[in-house]
Amino acid sequence: MSRHVTRTTLPGMTHVPPPAEELRFLDAELRQLDARRAQLLHRRAWLVAALQPALPASPASPVRRVPLDRPRPEATAPGVQNLLLLLGGVLLTLAAAVFTLVSWGHMGIAGRALVLGAVTAAALGTPVPLLRRGLRSTAESVAGLGLALTVLDAYAVQQVAFAGADTAAYTAIASALLAALWTAYGLLPRVAGLRLPLPAALAAAQLPLLCWAISVSAGWYMITAALLLTAGFDTVVALRVTARSVRVPAVVGAYGMGAWGVLAAGWLSWGAAGPSAAARAAALLLLAAAIALGAAWRLPNPALPTGNALAGGLLLVAAGGGVLRAALPGGWTVPGYLACGVALLAAARTRLPEHLRQGAVQASGTVQAAAVTCALPLFAVALLGPLGWVAEPWSGAPSDARAAVTVHTPWPPYPWQLLLGPVAVAAVLALLVREETRRPWAVTGSACLAWATVMAAPAAFQLPYTAALLLQGAATGAALAAAAFRLLPTATTALALGGSVPLAFLSLPSQTATLTVLSVLTAALAAASTRPHLAPLTAPASLVYGTALACATGAAAGWQTQHTALLVLVIPLSAALFAPRLTGPHARVPVEVTGAVAGLLAIGLAITVPPVLALVLALCGVIAAGTAVRPGRRPVGYAAAVLFVLASWVRLASWDVGTVEAYTLPVTVPALCVGAWRRHRDPRASSWTAYGAGLAATLLPSLVAAWHDPHWTRPLLLGAAALLLTLLGARHRLRAPLVLGGSVLVLDTLHELAPYLVQMTGALPRWVPPALAGLLLLALGATYEQRIRDVRRVREVLGRMS
């Protein structure tokens, strides 16, 4: 066979099994592979178990145990070495301490000196050869032992030669000598590689000044000065030394000792009884500030210098403010500190480094924020205090503005001195902040502080009650005018609406003031609603105050609540009339919601008198119907229908009408009219959708009433109406009238024929009902298939109806 013939005939000669046969072949191969894998796994397990025990070793060729997995070490070699050296050093130190404390008294002076000198010299000299051989860790441990022995030497000397000396004084001298000795030892050329002596010397240097101040009984001022000088020394070391092993302890010591010193100096400044004591405390604070600012000047990292500059600025303020607090009367504490804080802003105009100027500005801002925080209780009482008049409205005008805001709340001390803080901060924000990115925030903050100051000023200065109303009204009006002309619109709108609330409550003690303030607020907010950007907020607020004005007017006129409800309905009517004239849906929806709430309030006021309640419900229905005429407000028509129905029901109930149809027909007739209109516009609409609810509203309650009615008039009229509906449904092929009318007709007929059926049942023998039931079952069984076809046919006929 030639090559070309093979290529052409090979595809036809190759046997390709069908898919089912190929699938069976693959399954068989997979089963064989699984069996082979199980055999191999079993063999592997046996081999693993065989290799676990140690094999017998011969003298010629010893066989070692073969571990399957090597155990992982849990500690590194350097870690183990350091731990052993540390434990050894600790044990030797403890042994030396026990020797010094226990065995010291059993030796003479020469023996003591010889033992201590020899052991200390050996401990301090041993690191030299260890370093030559490269045993650095061992050298560090031995050097630590030597340093500990020097401490024991100092203790031994104190016990022998200076047993009666002052402990604090001796500790100061000994720590100073130890610090000098350890520094000299750490700087020796042969042991310069050790990292322990210099940090130990720095730790010992923390004690001399503090212990000396305690020993001489210098008082808290000298102790604080010792802490701050020690912190300054640590700061110098941290700035000058480059070794990390020394710089980190120096930084810790500087911040630790400095924090204790600053706290002590601040406590002394705050508790100073006179200018002299305050001046001495201020000197300590100035020393701390100099250390912080000096560190900020030299630090290269931009984050730490700013923090140190902030701390230094706050310390300068504490120093100056403490002196002013001691020299001025008690109420000037906050203004004194604030003046010093504002003075820090002068640093921003100098040529100091950027981080120093930034820290000074942040310190000044912190002080100003603290001054404003101190005035917050004053603002809270001035703005929230008038809420207490809700329980005592129109009880008489108070004596002054302070009495008007302190109905149930105490008044903070030093009110007008506290107000100087927000005033000064507002001036600083408005005049000194010129940066473009911060200018809007500064102006907003200045406006808010100025507004809050004006609102609290009448009570702070005990102005007359009328003056307080006028001043707060002017502040609210100014904010509203600024919002209308888009001057800080967000902030000024919030201030105007927020200021109107305490103003309205502040007017509650006097009837004349209440009516006047509510009228002015309603008119002003309504006028502001002509501005599109204000309408979503001011228009609903105007309606709220209009509702309050209506209620207040009714109360002032001596009207009963149900009559006041009619006056309140002016608000929903106004909302329905003016909502379409507002531009934008964001303004219309809040106005309509506010009007609806006012309508609910009117209904609640008239709920005790049914005739007036029916009138109010009807008027609310008229307003809702007028609103439903507008495009996009069609669903409001359902609410109007409900209101009309409720109004008719309430009126009928007030007339003592007990006929059910009198309540249901006012619902059925409009519902059927709406359904007919719906079917006229949309012939495909279902009859259940168009007429079902309307027909059921009368038929079902009437059926229930007919079953309990002993007379024949209602059942007869109900049966006639149901028959008419059934005929109309059959004539026009409408499912809803046919089903509802037929069902009601059958049930009404059963109700009317029930007495006769009972009489007939009693007259027949007792075997007749079971016999009739049996005949019925036989008939149904005989014609079961035909009955099924008839039921299906009826269902199809009803399904074809609309």
Side-chain angles (χ1 to χ4, degrees):
M1 184 180 294
S2 66
R3 181 179 180 182
H4 299 285
V5 173
T6 303
R7 286 184 177 180
T8 56
T9 58
L10 185 59
M13 296 172 63
T14 302
H15 174 68
V16 179
E21 183 179 353
E22 185 177 1
L23 180 60
R24 286 193 297 271
F25 175 76
L26 291 177
D27 291 339
E29 292 291 333
L30 290 174
R31 284 193 295 271
Q32 293 178 4
L33 290 176
D34 291 338
R36 182 59 178 167
R37 185 174 183 275
Q39 293 176 0
L40 294 177
L41 289 175
H42 185 270
R43 181 61 179 175
R44 181 182 181 278
W46 184 87
L47 292 174
V48 170
L51 290 175
Q52 288 295 332
L55 299 177
S58 61
S61 60
V63 180
R64 299 177 58 188
R65 181 178 180 179
V66 182
L68 294 181
D69 294 326
R70 292 181 178 272
R72 185 177 180 181
E74 297 182 356
T76 60
V80 174
Q81 176 188 0
N82 294 333
L83 179 61
L84 294 176
L85 293 175
L86 177 62
L87 292 175
V90 170
L91 292 176
L92 289 175
T93 304
L94 293 176
V98 172
F99 169 77
T100 304
L101 296 174
V102 177
S103 302
W104 184 258
H106 301 288
M107 301 178 65
I109 297 176
R112 300 170 187 174
L114 181 61
V115 172
L116 282 177
V119 175
T120 304
L124 295 177
T126 303
V128 177
L130 293 176
L131 289 175
R132 290 177 181 175
R133 296 186 178 184
L135 302 176
R136 184 184 182 88
S137 299
T138 307
E140 292 282 359
S141 300
V142 177
L145 176 62
L147 298 179
L149 288 174
T150 56
V151 177
L152 296 176
D153 291 343
Y155 172 76
V157 172
Q158 192 267 342
Q159 292 293 321
V160 173
F162 303 100
D166 184 28
T167 304
Y170 182 79
T171 303
I173 297 173
S175 59
L177 293 177
L178 289 176
L181 175 64
W182 293 349
T183 302
Y185 177 73
L187 295 178
L188 291 176
R190 296 185 178 182
V191 295
L194 296 177
R195 291 177 293 183
L196 186 60
L198 293 180
L202 183 63
Q206 309 299 310
L207 299 177
L209 289 178
L210 179 60
C211 293
W212 172 79
I214 295 174
S215 66
V216 299
S217 301
W220 286 105
Y221 288 94
M222 291 300 297
I223 294 176
T224 305
L227 290 172
L228 293 176
L229 289 175
T230 304
F233 169 75
D234 294 335
T235 302
V236 173
V237 173
L239 293 174
R240 299 295 296 258
V241 177
T242 58
R244 181 179 177 84
S245 60
V246 180
R247 175 175 289 183
V248 173
V251 171
V252 174
Y255 281 105
M257 302 296 285
W260 284 110
V262 167
L263 290 176
W267 176 69
L268 293 173
S269 177
W270 188 258
S276 176
R280 286 182 289 169
L284 296 175
L285 291 172
L286 290 175
L287 174 60
I291 296 172
L293 294 175
W297 188 290
R298 295 294 302 273
L299 284 172
N301 188 3
L304 288 177
T306 303
N308 285 349
L310 170 61
L314 292 177
L315 291 172
L316 292 176
V317 172
V323 174
L324 293 178
R325 185 194 63 82
L328 297 176
W332 291 92
T333 300
V334 174
Y337 282 101
L338 179 61
C340 297
V342 174
L344 275 182
L345 294 176
R349 305 292 181 180
T350 61
R351 295 183 179 180
L352 293 173
E354 175 64 24
H355 56 270
L356 289 179
R357 289 186 281 124
Q358 186 177 1
V361 171
Q362 291 179 0
S364 177
T366 303
V367 175
Q368 295 178 48
V372 174
T373 303
C374 293
L376 288 181
L378 192 67
F379 295 151
V381 175
L383 297 177
L384 302 179
L387 298 178
W389 289 108
V390 175
E392 304 175 12
W394 296 355
S395 57
S399 59
D400 53 32
R402 184 174 297 181
V405 300
T406 54
V407 186
H408 302 293
T409 53
W411 185 251
Y414 311 116
W416 66 273
Q417 289 93 338
L418 291 177
L419 280 182
L420 293 177
V423 171
V425 175
V428 168
L429 292 176
L431 300 177
L432 299 183
V433 180
R434 297 296 180 183
E435 189 177 354
E436 294 182 0
T437 57
R438 298 180 180 178
R439 181 64 180 172
W441 295 99
V443 174
T444 301
S446 177
C448 294
L449 291 174
W451 173 84
T453 303
V454 173
M455 298 294 287
F461 293 97
Q462 289 185 301
L463 297 180
Y465 173 66
T466 306
L469 290 175
L470 293 176
L471 199 57
Q472 290 194 4
T476 303
L480 190 60
F485 289 100
R486 295 184 179 274
L487 298 176
L488 303 175
T490 303
T492 51
T493 303
L495 293 179
L497 296 178
S500 64
V501 176
L503 177 61
F505 283 99
L506 187 64
S507 66
L508 285 178
S510 173
Q511 177 177 322
T512 304
T514 302
L515 296 176
T516 303
V517 169
L518 291 178
S519 300
V520 172
L521 288 176
T522 302
L525 292 172
S529 301
T530 57
R531 300 284 183 171
H533 65 284
L534 294 180
L537 295 176
T538 56
S542 176
L543 293 177
V544 170
Y545 287 117
T547 304
L549 177 61
C551 295
T553 302
W559 293 356
Q560 297 180 354
T561 56
Q562 64 270 19
H563 298 149
T564 305
L566 298 175
L567 186 59
V568 174
L569 285 179
V570 176
I571 304 305
L573 179 61
S574 302
L577 292 177
F578 291 105
R581 293 175 173 80
L582 297 175
T583 58
H586 297 290
R588 295 174 187 169
V589 174
V591 168
E592 292 171 348
V593 171
T594 307
V597 173
L600 292 177
L601 176 62
I603 294 172
L605 293 175
I607 199 169
T608 57
V609 182
V612 181
L613 177 60
L615 178 60
V616 171
L617 289 171
L619 293 176
C620 290
V622 172
I623 297 172
T627 304
V629 176
R630 290 168 40 204
R633 296 294 184 267
R634 304 301 183 194
V636 184
Y638 297 104
V642 172
L643 290 171
F644 284 130
V645 170
L646 291 177
S648 63
W649 287 358
V650 172
R651 173 57 66 181
L652 292 173
S654 64
W655 288 339
D656 295 331
V657 175
T659 305
V660 176
E661 288 75 15
Y663 295 90
T664 58
L665 287 177
V667 179
T668 298
V669 173
L672 293 178
C673 293
V674 172
W677 176 72
R678 171 73 180 276
R679 290 272 298 179
H680 176 71
R681 296 192 58 183
D682 185 11
R684 292 179 297 178
S686 173
S687 62
W688 286 109
T689 305
Y691 306 118
L695 294 175
T698 294
L699 290 176
L700 299 181
S702 298
L703 180 62
V704 174
W707 275 70
H708 299 283
D709 193 348
H711 304 286
W712 59 272
T713 307
R714 176 180 278 114
L716 179 60
L717 295 177
L718 178 61
L723 178 60
L724 179 60
L725 286 176
T726 305
L727 296 177
L728 289 175
R731 171 67 178 82
H732 297 284
R733 298 171 61 182
L734 298 176
R735 188 184 305 173
L738 181 61
V739 174
L740 288 175
S743 302
V744 171
L745 180 60
V746 170
L747 294 175
D748 185 64
T749 303
L750 287 176
H751 174 265
E752 292 302 311
L753 297 178
Y756 303 102
L757 294 177
V758 172
Q759 293 177 3
M760 184 180 64
T761 304
L764 292 176
R766 294 185 178 181
W767 57 269
V768 174
L772 293 177
L775 291 175
L776 178 62
L777 292 177
L778 289 176
L780 290 176
T783 60
Y784 180 74
E785 186 176 358
Q786 181 62 34
R787 299 286 78 76
I788 292 177
R789 287 197 297 267
D790 294 341
V791 170
R792 289 177 179 174
R793 190 177 299 108
V794 171
R795 186 177 61 185
E796 292 174 358
V797 170
L798 291 176
R800 287 194 296 270
M801 293 183 179
S802 57

